[in-house]
Amino acid sequence: MKSNVIFISGLGASGKTTTGEFLFERMKSVAIIDADWLFRAKPLEMIGKKVERLKMNNSIALVRNYQKEGYKNIICLGWIWSQQELNNVVRKLRPRKADFYLFWLETSRHVRHGRAIKRNRDAADTPEWLEKIEMK
């Protein structure tokens, strides 16, 4: 059975989790993967090749596991940040086993920073951190 792999990406606090949860609640045979939680380690080099490899390998493994278990729809949050990453994922997951959809959420800096400060999840929700990530 071919699965639908739905990527929802965007800068921090752009609404990825909210959008993913909205879809998750309305779809059948669905799994959700939040890539941000698949590479937490100390010391964590947040921007670098090591983290990109961890995120890629862990996410690919989970998608394959969900496919193997027969999930029709797999929502992936915060995983794809570039055309190169998308190309790598498609190559590794093999298009004959999945259809791929990518949505990039665009929200103003003012709104994103306000959301991040309001949710205050961790150190990554500071205006300084968001500025650093946006410069990537």
Side-chain angles (χ1 to χ4, degrees):
M1 172 179 74
K2 208 170 190 183
S3 61
N4 298 308
V5 180
I6 303 161
F7 300 104
I8 302 172
S9 290
L11 295 174
S14 63
K16 297 179 296 291
T17 301
T18 301
T19 303
E21 291 294 335
F22 178 86
L23 292 173
F24 182 81
E25 294 300 323
R26 286 156 182 80
M27 298 176 95
K28 295 184 178 176
S29 184
V30 61
I32 193 165
I33 300 167
D34 189 337
D36 287 346
W37 297 101
L38 297 179
F39 59 91
R40 293 183 64 122
K42 289 183 183 178
L44 181 58
E45 302 157 5
M46 282 304 293
I47 302 173
K49 295 295 179 193
K50 183 177 187 178
V51 167
E52 289 175 18
R53 280 192 313 274
L54 285 168
K55 179 179 68 169
M56 180 68 70
N57 293 336
N58 291 344
S59 297
I60 292 278
L62 275 176
V63 169
R64 285 181 179 154
N65 286 339
Y66 284 129
Q67 286 175 318
K68 183 178 173 183
E69 293 300 325
Y71 285 88
K72 175 70 176 154
N73 302 293
I74 304 164
I75 301 168
C76 303
L77 306 177
W79 180 3
I80 302 299
W81 287 88
S82 69
Q83 184 66 50
Q84 181 180 353
E85 283 184 329
L86 181 60
N87 292 346
N88 288 340
V89 169
V90 169
R91 188 177 69 251
K92 289 180 180 188
L93 288 175
R94 295 180 302 247
R96 62 187 163 90
K97 290 193 172 194
D99 289 321
F100 300 96
Y101 304 90
L102 173 62
F103 299 91
W104 182 269
L105 303 182
E106 190 70 37
T107 310
S108 75
R109 174 180 283 157
H110 175 74
V111 169
R112 288 192 321 274
H113 286 216
R115 286 179 182 168
I117 291 167
K118 186 176 178 180
R119 72 183 182 192
N120 194 25
R121 283 198 302 216
D122 55 31
D125 280 341
T126 65
E128 296 79 19
W129 175 252
L130 291 171
E131 289 293 330
K132 184 178 179 180
I133 288 296
E134 289 175 18
M135 301 308 283
K136 178 180 172 188

